[in-house]
Amino acid sequence: VSNYFCGADFTWNLFDFFCLLVSAVELLLNMLAGDERQGQSQLNLLKVLRLARLFRLVRIMRFKMFKELKLMAMGLLSGIRALAWAIVLLMVVIYMISIVTKSFFGDYHEEFSTVGAGMFTLFRCFTEACETYEGDPIPEKLYLRG
């Protein structure tokens, strides 16, 4: 037992022990609750915690034969990080344009009355739904206003 909690893989073994405790608590709660559904939300939380056992599969990445899989996973994580920064950059650009559109069109168009509404409208325009709340095309409304 001392080698289990103090060996080379003691962190993974502690994680396994924690998952075992979660399963035991869930089983105990099921036995105590019987057919009653009062504590169902707490049981659902325990079921989600049991899914954490899948993280034990990460240990496979240490083996030499899974080198390519590890490289693919690291590439995926790097891609997600780059995507997050691209989204931040897009939001900064939308924020700056929203400030300008609020100052130019905020008094005339409800869609640009606040910075938040302007950001939402600009995001919709960037993703193809560039219409007023009534369904009229915004570029046409802005052209007629000018």
Side-chain angles (χ1 to χ4, degrees):
V1 173
S2 65
N3 193 24
Y4 185 77
F5 289 110
C6 299
D9 288 334
F10 77 96
T11 53
W12 287 109
N13 293 338
L14 285 175
F15 180 71
D16 287 341
F17 184 71
F18 174 73
C19 290
L20 179 70
L21 282 178
V22 167
S23 296
V25 167
E26 180 184 8
L27 183 63
L28 181 67
L29 287 176
N30 279 335
M31 288 174 49
L32 291 177
D35 290 333
E36 299 174 13
R37 300 282 183 204
Q38 293 174 355
Q40 196 65 18
S41 62
Q42 289 84 7
L43 291 179
N44 287 338
L45 177 65
L46 289 176
K47 288 178 184 178
V48 170
L49 287 176
R50 278 185 25 196
L51 286 176
R53 289 188 294 181
L54 292 175
F55 285 112
R56 291 187 297 179
L57 294 175
V58 174
R59 287 191 283 186
I60 293 175
M61 299 285 191
R62 295 182 305 177
F63 298 123
K64 194 170 192 160
M65 63 188 273
F66 291 109
K67 181 182 177 186
E68 291 85 10
L69 180 63
K70 183 177 180 181
L71 287 174
M72 286 174 45
M74 297 304 289
L76 179 68
L77 291 176
S78 297
I80 289 173
R81 189 174 30 235
L83 180 64
W85 281 114
I87 290 171
V88 167
L89 181 62
L90 177 66
M91 288 297 117
V92 167
V93 169
I94 288 176
Y95 178 73
M96 291 181 349
I97 295 173
S98 176
I99 291 172
V100 172
T101 56
K102 181 192 177 307
S103 64
F104 286 144
F105 308 116
D107 296 335
Y108 308 111
H109 298 287
E110 180 183 1
E111 293 82 8
F112 300 109
S113 60
T114 64
V115 174
M119 286 180 70
F120 179 65
T121 302
L122 287 169
F123 181 76
R124 284 189 350 207
C125 285
F126 288 158
T127 58
E128 195 179 337
C130 197
E131 300 173 344
T132 63
Y133 296 136
E134 291 82 29
D136 300 324
I138 289 178
E140 196 174 288
K141 288 268 196 181
L142 294 178
Y143 180 73
L144 292 176
R145 176 59 68 187

